[in-house]
Amino acid sequence: MKKNLFIAMAITLMGLTSCTDNEVLEVQGTTQDNEQTFTVLEESEITEQELYDLTLGDMKKGIDAEIFGNVDRAYKEATNRQDTSLKANTKALAPLIYNIARIQYQTYDQDMVPVNASALIVYPRFRKMDKVMLINHGTQIGIAMIPTKYTSVEAVMAATGALCILPDYIGLGSTSKHPDLYLNHEVHGRTSVDALLALLDYAKAKKLNLDKTYKSYIVGYSQGGSVSLASLRRVQQLDQATQKRINLDKVYCGDGPYDLRRTFETYVEDNKKGKKMGLGSVIPLVINGMFNSYPSEVADLKYEDFFTEWALSTGVPQAIKNNKENIIDMMLKFNEKKLDDILNIEYVTAHPDHMERLLNLMDRQNLCQGWEPKYSLKLLHCNPDGVVPFSNFEEAVEGLNNQNVETKVVDINTKILNEPLLQHMYGLVVMVEEVLSGKF
């Protein structure tokens, strides 16, 4: 595919500018103990067409027309399903308008220190809602996709009539001064579930038209896929009263890096075969995430030693370490590179114990072992996936498989989708279409 088509697809699916940065205190939610659970920073509204344009409007520029047609059709069917519940004379009085809110809520970092994280809420204003949706975003191109600063493509899922929340991960949004904890599944799973609970408090405080029999859903793709699986595990750790309040029905995880060690080792094997990486920036993102998650255990190691002179000359590893935003152009320098263009093979070969220590830290974030899903779980993965190896799906199925697990493999025609990043993104399109159409 042409280079400009690849870039258009990447940026389109990663996110489009939405909310402003003006912070205005409007509502504070409280618990029975009068403890603040969330703060509304900003609220606005958008029309159905504006939601479409923000999330799907440019997608057709980067993908096959037939594929886009499926998503477009599913979106229209989802909005029509909302209208069918209204009487004819009510539709004119209640146009399909969506509310958007940026909130802050309290959660905890890797050291259980309280932090005020941020999240984006999207929901249909005049429709009665019977479902709540926690949507965990991906971070496919650096840290460019931040829900409270960008309306990601997943926000279109509000078209199903759901009350949706898209949390920023710690290190992003309002916690941008906090070290980025990329792929720290334990922290992000807790943060996301805390966002879901804050959403329920928001619905109560705002007296939203949420049916008492609502069900909750957790959805995520790529990094969001692994965070959604971690969110399921976190829900199961909560007390029964809180689980009953959440009323979780199903979790949908797409192409997630559930096992960081296996993901990293697959990159090494691919490198030996001469394969290029679909998203080279994931290497400094993962390594930086481990340094930030376990600083005392890597205090004697130097982050920059793990990268080649060329990689450091681009400034990408340093920008990631410093948690810089809006560096998409810089990140694209890592496109179509091999692992040994980025990772300092000479260093890790000379110091195998250093790399092994990082891999052992990655093992602590393995989501495929030590527990089993008690709620309905759907695992989707592209085969092949040029960014998150298919082996993640295989291990998750092997380690978690029980009567609650459903699987879906998206077979990729490599003659049509031969760009590794596009292979990865295709699964996101499939997931969005399934959620909008009600197949999920």
Side-chain angles (χ1 to χ4, degrees):
M1 291 190 177
K2 294 181 179 180
K3 187 88 171 181
N4 62 347
L5 185 63
F6 161 75
I7 295 175
M9 177 67 172
I11 295 176
T12 296
L13 291 189
M14 293 314 99
L16 299 165
T17 302
S18 174
C19 297
T20 67
D21 291 327
N22 297 327
E23 297 190 357
V24 180
L25 181 64
E26 293 190 2
V27 177
Q28 290 186 347
T30 59
T31 64
Q32 290 181 344
D33 297 328
N34 212 30
E35 178 184 354
Q36 182 178 321
T37 60
F38 71 88
T39 299
V40 176
L41 303 178
E42 178 190 32
E43 287 187 320
S44 59
E45 62 180 36
I46 59 175
T47 66
E48 173 197 353
Q49 187 62 48
E50 287 172 328
L51 178 66
Y52 180 93
D53 291 340
L54 284 170
T55 55
L56 300 178
D58 287 338
M59 183 182 286
K60 57 186 175 183
K61 295 180 181 179
I63 61 176
D64 180 80
E66 182 178 351
I67 297 173
F68 174 77
N70 293 338
V71 177
D72 181 57
R73 184 166 49 253
Y75 173 82
K76 292 175 180 176
E77 291 174 353
T79 56
N80 287 337
R81 283 197 298 272
Q82 290 190 59
D83 280 342
T84 56
S85 63
L86 299 174
K87 296 180 180 179
N89 61 343
T90 308
K91 294 182 183 181
L93 298 175
L96 189 46
I97 294 175
Y98 294 91
N99 272 22
I100 293 180
R102 292 168 63 240
I103 71 166
Q104 283 187 354
Y105 65 99
Q106 183 174 287
T107 186
Y108 300 88
D109 69 6
Q110 75 278 14
D111 296 319
M112 293 304 293
V113 174
V115 294
N116 291 320
S118 49
L120 183 74
I121 294 174
V122 187
Y123 60 95
R125 182 174 181 181
F126 297 116
R127 271 45 174 186
K128 187 170 185 177
M129 297 166 285
D130 61 0
K131 50 184 170 292
V132 173
M133 197 173 292
L134 168 62
I135 303 172
N136 294 305
H137 69 88
T139 316
Q140 287 92 339
I141 298 184
I143 53 175
M145 183 176 169
I146 304 171
T148 53
K149 292 190 177 181
Y150 296 80
T151 297
S152 62
V153 65
E154 293 99 333
V156 76
M157 295 174 185
T160 62
L163 172 60
C164 300
I165 189 164
L166 295 84
D168 299 328
Y169 304 136
I170 290 182
L172 306 178
S174 66
T175 61
S176 59
K177 293 183 179 180
H178 192 289
D180 183 27
L181 302 176
Y182 186 70
L183 295 182
N184 186 318
H185 296 144
E186 180 180 0
V187 171
H188 294 327
R190 178 172 61 242
T191 299
S192 290
V193 173
D194 286 346
L196 177 58
L197 293 171
L199 178 67
L200 296 176
D201 289 341
Y202 174 89
K204 182 177 181 181
K206 299 286 290 186
K207 298 180 180 179
L208 298 185
N209 196 6
L210 181 63
D211 193 284
K212 293 182 179 180
T213 61
Y214 69 85
K215 294 182 179 180
S216 294
Y217 301 85
I218 303 175
V219 182
Y221 192 82
S222 192
Q223 179 188 5
S226 59
V227 174
S228 292
L229 190 58
S231 298
L232 169 58
R233 185 175 65 178
R234 174 58 182 165
V235 168
Q236 294 182 182
Q237 294 169 348
L238 299 174
D239 60 79
Q240 289 300 313
T242 305
Q243 289 190 46
K244 184 177 180 180
R245 183 184 180 217
I246 291 174
N247 199 24
L248 183 61
D249 188 45
K250 194 169 186 179
V251 180
Y252 194 177
C253 305
D255 290 54
Y258 314 118
D259 182 348
L260 304 187
R261 175 188 281 267
R262 178 168 288 196
T263 298
F264 210 92
E265 291 178 342
T266 302
Y267 291 154
V268 173
E269 293 302 314
D270 287 346
N271 185 69
K272 293 178 181 178
K273 300 174 184 177
K275 293 184 178 180
K276 296 180 179 179
M277 298 195 67
L279 193 66
S281 57
V282 73
I283 300 303
L285 280 167
V286 172
I287 293 176
N288 183 60
M290 295 303 103
F291 267 75
N292 290 339
S293 296
Y294 307 102
S296 63
E297 300 188 44
V298 294
D300 60 321
L301 302 182
K302 186 178 179 181
Y303 168 77
E304 289 78 8
D305 286 342
F306 288 88
F307 306 104
T308 64
E309 290 185 9
W310 174 84
L312 292 172
S313 71
T314 67
V316 173
Q318 301 93 320
I320 288 174
K321 179 181 180 181
N322 295 324
N323 209 8
K324 296 292 186 181
E325 299 177 6
N326 302 322
I327 54 175
I328 293 179
D329 291 341
M330 185 184 295
M331 292 290 184
L332 290 176
K333 295 178 181 179
F334 277 20
N335 180 39
E336 298 182 352
K337 295 295 181 180
K338 292 178 56 184
L339 177 66
D340 56 16
D341 291 324
I342 301 167
L343 184 69
N344 189 339
I345 300 297
E346 292 184 5
Y347 172 77
V348 298
T349 301
H351 303 87
D353 57 315
H354 292 182
M355 191 70 240
E356 184 61 27
R357 283 166 63 184
L358 284 185
L359 292 172
N360 287 336
L361 296 179
M362 295 180 196
D363 282 337
R364 299 185 189 179
Q365 301 301 328
N366 191 324
L367 293 169
C368 303
Q369 302 172 6
W371 69 290
E372 63 178 28
K374 298 178 181 178
Y375 295 89
S376 180
L377 168 66
K378 183 171 183 177
L379 296 171
L380 171 148
H381 216 101
C382 294
N383 187 24
D385 182 326
V387 175
V388 180
F390 187 72
S391 56
N392 281 275
F393 172 81
E394 295 175 314
E395 183 175 354
V397 171
E398 179 182 356
L400 302 176
N401 196 19
N402 63 20
Q403 68 275 10
N404 295 317
V405 180
E406 175 187 355
T407 62
K408 180 181 179 68
V409 176
V410 179
D411 292 317
I412 298 293
N413 185 333
T414 54
K415 292 183 179 179
I416 298 175
L417 290 176
N418 54 14
E419 180 69 57
L421 183 52
L422 290 183
Q423 293 172 358
H424 179 63
M425 290 178 180
Y426 179 61
L428 173 59
V429 178
V430 173
M431 170 179 279
V432 170
E433 189 272 331
E434 287 200 350
V435 174
L436 289 176
S437 65
K439 297 176 184 176
F440 166 58

